[in-house]
Structures are given as C-alpha cells and as structure tokens.
Amino acid sequence: METKHKVSLFMVSLLLGSMLTVQFSTVHRPRTDTNVVDNVQLNAELATEKDRQKFYYSEINRLEDQVKSYENKQGNRDELVKAMADDLDKVKTLAGVKPVKGNGIVITIEDSFDAIAAGGDPSKAASLDYYLYQLINYLNGNEAQAVAVDNHRIVSLSSIRMISQNNLQVNAVMIDPKSITIKAVGNIEQMKIGMNLFPQFFREMGKDFKITDVTNGNLTIPAYDTPVEFKYAQPEGDNKL
Amino acid sequence: MIWIPVIGLVLGVLLGFSFNLYIPLQYSSYLSIAILAALDTVFGGIRASLEKHFDSSVFISGFFFNTLLAALLAFIGVQLGVDLYLAAVFAFGVRLFNNLASIRRLIVNRSRPHEKNS
C-alpha cells in the first residue's frame, strides 16, 4: 500500500476519532444551563424558605389572636369597631390605596444626548412601556413593597401604555416620557441588584438611567387614587356587590 | 495495515478529549448520522485496502461526501417533519455490516494458508 494511501486512511480515522469524542462529550455534557444548581444557591433558597415559613407561622398566630380578640370584644362595640378599622387600614396599605413611606430608591430615566451620542436610538423608545413594566416586575421580584411611576402608584389594576412617541400613560394619566421618576420603597440593596440589567436597555433608547438611595425613611409613595368601579368582578360567595 | 486506522482512531479520540470540544445539543443528532457515514467510509477503506484496490481520492471524497450528505439528509428530514435520517441509518448500517463481514472474510481467508503451512 502506498504511503499516500496510508496517510489518507490515517487522517480520516483521526477525524472520525475526533468526531466520536465530540459527540460523546456533547451527549454526556452536564446540563449546567437548566437544572444543576450549586450548594450555595440551594442554601440561600433554603434560608429564604425558612424565613418565609417563620413569617407564615407568625401570621397564623397573629390571625388566631385577632379572632380571639374579636370574640372577647363582642360585648364592647366601640373596641370591635376600632379593631376592624385597624384591620381595614392594614388591608388598604396592602392594596396600595394608602400612602406609605420608608427607605428605598428613586430611579430617574431621562433623555440624554450623551446616550444618543454613544449609539442610543430614540426610536426604540416606542417599547418604553414594555421595559417600564419589566422594571416594575423586577422591583417587585426584588423585595419592593410599594412602587410609583411619576407619583402614580402601581397596583394590580395599574396600566402603563405608550400612546405615541411623546405620550406615556400611567394609570390612565399622561406623563412625559422624556423624564420619568420611579420611586420604590423596599430592600435597597436587593432592588439595586434587580436593576443591574436595565441601564443598558434604556441607554439603547438614548436615555440615562440613574438610581438614588433614600435611607432617611422619608421616601413617600402616594396612594392609588384612580376610582375603580367593580362592574365585572365581585367577591366569591356574594350575590351582588 | 489494519493498525493504521486503529492508531488514527485512538489518536483522534485522545485529541478530542484533550481539547474537550462539544457542539450544541440540538446538532448532536446530525453529527451522529455523520459519524455513521464516516464509519462506513473507514470500514470501506479498510476493506478496499485488504482487497488491494484502495484509492485515496475515492476514499477521501467518499468520506466527506457521505458525511455531509448524511447530515444534510437528517437536517432536511427535520425541516420536512419526516424521519429521513432513518434512511441514512439503514443504508449506512447495512453497508457497515457488509464491509465488516467482507473484512472478516478476507482476514479469515488470509489466515488459512498459514494454518495449512503450520
């Protein structure tokens, strides 16, 4: 057999061997992108779940105490009314129809010549409402307890819509998309971690993204003040609202 | 002579492991078909060399053509929603076993005169 033939047979076998190895490595590669999590992550999740469980137990105890107090106050009408008013207050706070204040962050998103000069394209701001929703979603997912966009409280009924390039609607009220202020009361560090991705998104729209910490406890989030008429939904079990 | 592809294969495997290469998982089915075609070509080459009519240009062109055609057939099958790769698996599988059978027969036939002499 000629040397040329031997070389070609050798080279092709070499290539086949490499192909076999690539296939083997691919098929047996650990799927790090989906389900594999390390111990640190598992421990962190476990700690969070333990905290949550502790919170639920304390809530159960609190509610049991509340039921007992109602039972004890049945004879005293004034005390019962006061206890119910306190509860109504708590519910209002949870629903966002009561102003709240505390520590948090203030995010300003403003049109910027520097961002445009760096390649930002203002025409991309057509999807500003989508990114604002994403931003609020990330704030809520990172321990924000109250959020307002240009002093319009964001609650479950809130809407954010880009009507035209110069008109942004929040809770059915027009605001100026050139300068938007978002206030969020919650865990400052955690919320800032959640905001890591967003400066780049807004810079691509030619906007500047700044975060300011408020640590004096005076960051006020106004109440949701848009009247809501419940025409289509009613509490389960009620015949009529 | 049969040791040449074996050494090449072992070296290729070692090379592959030392560079730790991999492809996206969704393309691994195409590579598996291509490997089958390549295996068929290599065994065909061994058989041809044992039968003393090995032609390196036919061998090299066959290797690349069969490998690419098999992967392409699998790809087209996926696009059309038809399991065309089964055709490649069947065709190359049958050829592979034919080649292996021929190689076995050739080696056995060659060993017979030796047995008679000894």
Side-chain angles (χ1 to χ4, degrees), chain A:
Chain A
M1 193 179 188
E2 283 180 42
T3 314
K4 191 178 81 172
H5 294 170
K6 285 179 182 171
V7 170
S8 62
L9 196 56
F10 176 78
M11 293 307 288
V12 165
S13 304
L14 193 78
L15 201 58
L16 177 63
S18 313
M19 285 164 73
L20 281 168
T21 321
V22 170
Q23 177 72 358
F24 182 83
S25 307
T26 305
V27 172
H28 291 90
R29 190 181 166 209
R31 305 281 299 275
T32 47
D33 52 340
T34 52
N35 293 323
V36 179
V37 286
D38 57 23
N39 281 341
V40 178
Q41 198 179 337
L42 279 174
N43 283 335
E45 280 175 19
L46 186 65
T48 313
E49 289 305 320
K50 276 182 179 170
D51 285 348
R52 196 172 292 170
Q53 193 188 26
K54 217 170 161 182
F55 171 73
Y56 287 144
Y57 278 135
S58 69
E59 274 295 287
I60 289 167
N61 288 337
R62 190 184 64 79
L63 290 169
E64 278 175 351
D65 290 346
Q66 204 170 25
V67 170
K68 274 182 199 160
S69 75
Y70 284 157
E71 284 168 359
N72 294 338
K73 285 167 189 167
Q74 267 179 352
N76 189 336
R77 194 180 168 81
D78 288 346
E79 275 187 38
L80 185 63
V81 169
K82 191 181 169 299
M84 289 178 89
D86 287 347
D87 285 345
L88 182 63
D89 231 29
K90 277 180 202 162
V91 172
K92 277 182 172 176
T93 309
L94 285 172
V97 290
K98 205 170 181 271
V100 290
K101 70 174 186 176
N103 290 335
I105 56 172
V106 177
I107 302 165
T108 48
I109 303 162
E110 290 176 324
D111 282 2
S112 155
F113 287 115
D114 290 342
I116 293 168
D121 180 5
S123 69
K124 285 185 181 168
S127 49
L128 181 63
D129 49 357
Y130 169 78
Y131 284 101
L132 285 174
Y133 243 124
Q134 285 282 81
L135 188 149
I136 291 162
N137 192 22
Y138 271 71
L139 282 173
N140 286 332
N142 285 282
E143 299 182 24
Q145 292 191 329
V147 180
V149 177
D150 268 20
N151 281 327
H152 296 288
R153 180 74 169 266
I154 302 299
V155 294
S156 61
L157 291 164
S158 292
S159 61
I160 300 176
R161 288 193 299 160
M162 198 72 190
I163 304 295
S164 67
Q165 201 168 351
N166 296 317
N167 290 306
L168 180 69
Q169 211 182 51
V170 178
N171 291 352
V173 179
M174 291 292 188
I175 66 163
D176 183 7
K178 292 187 183 74
S179 173
I180 301 164
T181 307
I182 298 166
K183 293 178 188 169
V185 166
N187 181 338
I188 294 176
E189 292 311 314
Q190 194 60 40
M191 287 192 292
K192 280 163 86 173
I193 290 169
M195 292 298 97
N196 278 345
L197 287 170
F198 288 92
Q200 181 59 31
F201 294 153
F202 288 101
R203 243 176 253 136
E204 281 172 13
M205 297 178 204
K207 291 180 184 293
D208 208 13
F209 185 94
K210 276 185 201 149
I211 300 179
T212 315
D213 296 1
V214 179
T215 51
N216 58 8
N218 281 333
L219 181 62
T220 306
I221 309 287
Y224 179 76
D225 53 5
T226 311
V228 180
E229 189 190 353
F230 269 92
K231 278 195 293 191
Y232 308 108
Q234 61 184 42
E236 201 177 273
D238 285 16
N239 290 330
K240 201 178 174 187
L241 280 173

Side-chain angles (χ1 to χ4, degrees), chain B residues 47 92-105:
Chain B
R47 176 189 170 179
F92 289 118
V94 168
R95 278 174 52 137
L96 194 73
F97 280 103
N98 280 342
N99 284 332
L100 277 169
S102 298
I103 291 166
R104 180 175 47 80
R105 253 183 258 120

Side-chain angles (χ1 to χ4, degrees), chain B:
Chain B
M1 168 26 244
I2 195 122
W3 295 107
I4 295 169
V6 174
I7 293 166
L9 209 63
V10 171
L11 276 178
V13 168
L14 290 177
L15 264 176
F17 276 127
S18 60
F19 284 106
N20 198 21
L21 297 170
Y22 56 85
I23 54 162
L25 201 60
Q26 64 264 36
Y27 301 129
S28 68
S29 56
Y30 305 140
L31 185 61
S32 62
I33 299 292
I35 284 172
L36 192 64
L39 271 172
D40 167 56
T41 313
V42 169
F43 282 111
I46 294 169
R47 176 189 170 179
S49 70
L50 289 172
E51 288 173 345
K52 306 218 183 296
H53 57 79
F54 183 87
D55 185 335
S56 63
S57 47
V58 171
F59 177 66
I60 299 274
S61 63
F63 175 81
F64 287 107
F65 187 78
N66 285 349
T67 305
L68 292 174
L69 189 70
L72 184 71
L73 206 63
F75 174 75
I76 291 170
V78 170
Q79 302 306 312
L80 297 178
V82 182
D83 293 336
L84 278 181
Y85 74 92
L86 288 175
V89 169
F90 180 73
F92 289 118
V94 168
R95 278 174 52 137
L96 194 73
F97 280 103
N98 280 342
N99 284 332
L100 277 169
S102 298
I103 291 166
R104 180 175 47 80
R105 253 183 258 120
L106 282 164
I107 291 171
V108 168
N109 283 341
R110 279 183 185 191
S111 65
R112 271 184 187 148
H114 264 287
E115 281 169 11
K116 278 177 187 171
N117 292 339
S118 63

